[in-house]
Amino acid sequence: MMDLPKGKLIPIGGKEARSPQDNNGGGSRQVTFQHEGILQEVLMEMKGPESRLAVITTASELPEEMRDMYLKAFDALGCKNVEVLHLDGRNVDSKNTLSILEEVDGVFFTGGDQVRLIDRICDTKFMDLLKDRYRNEDFVVAGTSAGAMAMSAVTIREGSSTESLLKGIVEVSRGFTLLPKTIIDTHFMSRGRFSRLTEALLLNPGFMAIGICEDTGLVISGGNHLRTIGSGVALILEADHIRNTNFKEAKRMQPVYVEGLGVHVLARGAGYSLSERKFIVEK
C-alpha cells in the first residue's frame, strides 16, 4: 500500500472572500472574513498568521494584480510573510525559487488558465520538490479556480458549459496528480459546469469528479478525507454504479443518457472519503 501523503490539499471553487468588505464571497450567506473565511482556514491549516506562504500567480495573465490582491488579503489576516512567485520557463527551477519553496509552510495557486499553469510547472524541479514536501511533510497546497483544477490527475483543458450533456464538449489532459484518480472543476454552479464535469468523468472510468462552487473549498487530508469549508457547496460525482449509458456509442454533440450516476452534495459540516466512497457528517 502506498504511503498516504502527510500534507493537505485545499482546492477552492473561485471567488473566495478576499477582504472584510467582500465577506460573502460568491454566496448569499454572510461570513466573517477573519474567522470563517477560506483564506483564514488556509492559514489555520498551516501555522496561522505566522505562516510562511508562497503565492503562485503563474496561471494569471494579470500577475501584478493578483500579487497585490493576495498580499492585501493575507495582510488583513495578519500574515506578513508572503512571497509571490510568477513562474515561467526562466525562473521556475532557479535557485531562488527552489529556496523559497523549501522554506515556506505552504503554497497558494491563484486563478487564471489551468493549461498555462500545468504547462509551465509540470516536469520541473519545482514540481518534484512540491510533491516531495506534500508527501512527506505537514505542507499545504492550496489553490483557487485554475489553481484548484490543476491539482487533480485529469484536468479539463477546455469545455463548453452547455445546457445539455452532449458528447465531445470537453477536452482533458493531465494535471499535477496531487490527488490521483480525480477531476476537479470550479465555479461549478455559477457557470453551469455539471455537463462538462460529467463527461470528463465518463471519459475516465473509476475516477471521482469534484465540482466546487464559489467561495467554497475542501480540506483534503491523507489524499482521501474531504472536509468542506466556505459559504457554499461542493458536489461529488461518481460513476461506480452506472447501469446504462449511450456514452460510447453516441456521436459527437449527440445527447448522452446515464442511469445510476452518483451525486453527493457537501457543505460545511459534511465530508467524504474518496477511498471508501463514503459520505461523512461531522459531529
Side-chain angles (χ1 to χ4, degrees), residues 20-151:
Q21 292 72 37
D22 181 30
N23 69 357
N24 69 331
S28 58
R29 185 180 74 84
Q30 293 290 309
V31 299
T32 307
F33 175 71
Q34 283 87 350
H35 302 292
E36 292 184 275
I38 286 178
L39 297 184
Q40 172 72 10
E41 299 224 29
V42 169
L43 292 179
M44 295 313 294
E45 290 297 334
M46 292 184 280
K47 297 177 181 176
E50 303 304 313
S51 303
R52 296 166 299 174
L53 178 67
V55 173
I56 315 294
T57 60
T58 304
S60 178
E61 291 182 336
L62 302 167
E64 294 84 7
E65 184 178 310
M66 285 288 181
R67 176 197 65 206
D68 294 346
M69 181 167 59
Y70 282 105
L71 284 175
K72 184 177 179 182
F74 284 112
D75 182 73
L77 294 168
C79 183
K80 314 292 184 183
N81 200 349
V82 181
E83 296 274 1
V84 180
L85 298 172
H86 189 71
L87 305 178
D88 55 31
R90 296 183 299 278
N91 67 353
V92 65
D93 284 340
S94 72
K95 186 177 179 181
N96 180 60
T97 296
L98 296 178
S99 175
I100 291 171
L101 182 58
E102 284 175 351
E103 294 172 0
V104 295
D105 300 304
V107 298
F108 183 95
F109 290 98
T110 72
D113 181 352
Q114 62 272 16
V115 177
R116 181 188 299 114
L117 182 59
I118 290 164
D119 288 350
R120 291 186 180 180
I121 295 184
C122 276
D123 303 320
T124 63
K125 292 178 183 176
F126 181 92
M127 180 52 64
D128 290 342
L129 178 58
L130 180 78
K131 287 184 174 180
D132 183 71
R133 294 207 65 195
Y134 165 64
R135 290 190 192 109
N136 299 304
E137 301 178 43
D138 183 14
F139 186 77
V140 171
V141 182
T144 187
S145 192
M149 292 177 68
M151 292 182 191

Side-chain angles (χ1 to χ4, degrees), residues 4-281:
L4 298 177
K6 294 179 180 177
K8 293 187 179 75
L9 303 176
I10 309 180
I12 301 161
K15 284 197 175 180
E16 69 286 352
R18 302 187 191 108
S19 72
Q21 292 72 37
D22 181 30
N23 69 357
N24 69 331
S28 58
R29 185 180 74 84
Q30 293 290 309
V31 299
T32 307
F33 175 71
Q34 283 87 350
H35 302 292
E36 292 184 275
I38 286 178
L39 297 184
Q40 172 72 10
E41 299 224 29
V42 169
L43 292 179
M44 295 313 294
E45 290 297 334
M46 292 184 280
K47 297 177 181 176
E50 303 304 313
S51 303
R52 296 166 299 174
L53 178 67
V55 173
I56 315 294
T57 60
T58 304
S60 178
E61 291 182 336
L62 302 167
E64 294 84 7
E65 184 178 310
M66 285 288 181
R67 176 197 65 206
D68 294 346
M69 181 167 59
Y70 282 105
L71 284 175
K72 184 177 179 182
F74 284 112
D75 182 73
L77 294 168
C79 183
K80 314 292 184 183
N81 200 349
V82 181
E83 296 274 1
V84 180
L85 298 172
H86 189 71
L87 305 178
D88 55 31
R90 296 183 299 278
N91 67 353
V92 65
D93 284 340
S94 72
K95 186 177 179 181
N96 180 60
T97 296
L98 296 178
S99 175
I100 291 171
L101 182 58
E102 284 175 351
E103 294 172 0
V104 295
D105 300 304
V107 298
F108 183 95
F109 290 98
T110 72
D113 181 352
Q114 62 272 16
V115 177
R116 181 188 299 114
L117 182 59
I118 290 164
D119 288 350
R120 291 186 180 180
I121 295 184
C122 276
D123 303 320
T124 63
K125 292 178 183 176
F126 181 92
M127 180 52 64
D128 290 342
L129 178 58
L130 180 78
K131 287 184 174 180
D132 183 71
R133 294 207 65 195
Y134 165 64
R135 290 190 192 109
N136 299 304
E137 301 178 43
D138 183 14
F139 186 77
V140 171
V141 182
T144 187
S145 192
M149 292 177 68
M151 292 182 191
S152 51
V154 166
T155 297
I156 297 173
R157 292 181 71 92
E158 293 182 11
S160 61
S161 298
T162 66
E163 180 180 308
S164 298
L165 174 55
L166 306 176
K167 185 167 181 177
I169 58 175
V170 299
E171 178 186 341
V172 297
S173 66
R174 67 171 177 167
F176 289 163
T177 317
L178 294 167
L179 193 62
K181 301 200 79 171
T182 58
I183 310 155
I184 295 173
D185 208 349
T186 56
H187 303 278
F188 192 64
M189 294 292 199
S190 63
R191 298 187 186 177
R193 289 179 165 176
F194 183 87
S195 292
R196 78 176 203 171
L197 185 59
T198 301
E199 186 187 6
L201 178 61
L202 294 173
L203 285 166
N204 294 275
F207 276 48
M208 298 288 283
I210 304 171
I212 311 175
C213 293
E214 292 176 352
D215 195 46
T216 308
L218 297 167
V219 178
I220 306 174
S221 306
N224 176 52
H225 180 268
L226 280 58
R227 175 173 67 86
T228 316
I229 59 175
S231 65
V233 303
L235 273 71
I236 306 288
L237 309 183
E238 50 94 356
D240 296 353
H241 303 292
I242 287 178
R243 293 179 290 278
N244 287 297
T245 179
N246 65 336
F247 182 69
K248 286 185 178 178
E249 305 85 59
K251 293 183 170 58
R252 180 173 170 78
M253 300 313 289
Q254 280 191 338
V256 173
Y257 62 73
V258 184
E259 180 191 10
L261 179 72
V263 181
H264 312 281
V265 182
L266 309 183
R268 187 182 282 270
Y272 195 82
S273 168
L274 294 174
S275 61
E276 298 178 84
R277 302 295 202 258
K278 182 180 177 184
F279 192 92
I280 300 164
V281 178

